[in-house]
Amino acid sequence: MRKFAIALALATTALATPALARDHSFYAGIEGGVMLVEDAGFDVRDASNTTTAQDIMILDFKPGWDVDVVGGYDFGMVRVEGELGYKHASLDEVELRDQPSTGLGFGSHLGADGHGRSLSFMINGLLDLGDEDSWSGYVGPGIGIADVRYSIGGTDPVVDTTLVDAEVSQTKLAWQVVAGVRTALSPTLDLGLKYRFFNVPNLKSGNTPDDLKT
């Protein structure tokens, strides 16, 4: 049976990050910000997991949002933290690359609705640079698990008849890279700006192209 696979599921976020982080102590924080989701391309694969058609459909998303709760321990120059995050973005349009059954040409852009969302738990290792009582910066990787779901609905008649109610849902390994700056507002409170590149690669669905409308 042929399977759909999303080639990439990734996002970048800019976050305002109030937190408490001091050497050799525990800290916690709440983060929230804007998320930009990169276009998601669908490949078709056969039963042997061989790609038979690449990027037959591209999902384009509107800017979304990202909310996270973090908690960890500051060892000095290095921090280790756990992060529970929720990300959500609405679908803007679908670009068709190879859908001859629709009667539309290559590269047609169709209005669509639906959304993508991710619920993740990550472990981050961060390198701290600077003065914890003034301005400081940090950078580091994270790894964890994410439950990701895409739903595709239609505002265009072609999407309504060929792609409506298509869904991809899978829990997979996720990774990210984070970087940020922060400043101390008081001995117990920091405020900063954080950037995240979040990736859950190679999501798969058991739907065939003909099944997308069911």
Side-chain angles (χ1 to χ4, degrees):
M1 180 179 68
R2 290 184 298 174
K3 296 182 178 180
F4 266 102
I6 292 181
L8 292 174
L10 46 86
T12 56
T13 52
L15 301 164
T17 61
L20 165 64
R22 293 294 181 269
D23 287 352
H24 307 293
S25 65
F26 290 97
Y27 67 92
I30 298 175
E31 306 172 342
V34 177
M35 176 177 68
L36 300 178
V37 182
E38 296 194 7
D39 293 349
F42 280 74
D43 299 340
V44 177
R45 297 181 178 180
D46 58 24
S48 64
N49 206 32
T50 300
T51 298
T52 60
Q54 187 173 12
D55 287 343
I56 68 166
M57 182 171 65
I58 306 294
L59 305 183
D60 181 29
F61 289 87
K62 299 175 182 178
W65 49 271
D66 181 356
V67 176
D68 304 272
V69 177
V70 299
Y73 188 82
D74 190 335
F75 292 92
M77 283 193 65
V78 175
R79 285 187 285 134
V80 177
E81 66 181 23
E83 169 196 295
L84 179 64
Y86 183 83
K87 302 170 179 62
H88 185 281
S90 296
L91 184 63
D92 186 21
E93 65 179 12
V94 173
E95 179 184 350
L96 299 184
R97 296 295 185 92
D98 184 16
Q99 293 278 340
S101 62
T102 66
L104 297 175
F106 181 93
S108 297
H109 291 258
L110 307 177
D113 56 23
H115 67 274
R117 72 102 173 123
S118 171
L119 178 64
S120 60
F121 178 75
M122 309 293 290
I123 300 295
N124 303 321
L126 303 174
L127 177 65
D128 271 333
L129 303 170
D131 183 357
E132 66 177 19
D133 294 315
S134 182
W135 284 97
S136 61
Y138 57 91
V139 64
I143 192 167
I145 191 168
D147 178 61
V148 180
R149 294 186 182 181
Y150 285 100
S151 67
I152 308 170
T155 59
D156 183 283
V158 173
V159 180
D160 279 335
T161 57
T162 61
L163 303 176
V164 67
D165 294 331
E167 290 192 2
V168 174
S169 178
Q170 197 169 21
T171 300
K172 292 200 67 176
L173 185 73
W175 63 268
Q176 65 182 6
V177 177
V178 297
V181 294
R182 59 191 173 116
T183 186
L185 298 181
S186 74
T188 59
L189 184 65
D190 295 338
L191 181 64
L193 186 66
K194 180 177 183 178
Y195 172 86
R196 169 188 290 113
F197 182 88
F198 178 80
N199 192 314
V200 187
N202 198 27
L203 296 171
K204 297 180 180 179
S205 169
N207 292 328
T208 69
D210 291 339
D211 289 336
L212 281 175
K213 60 185 178 184
T214 63

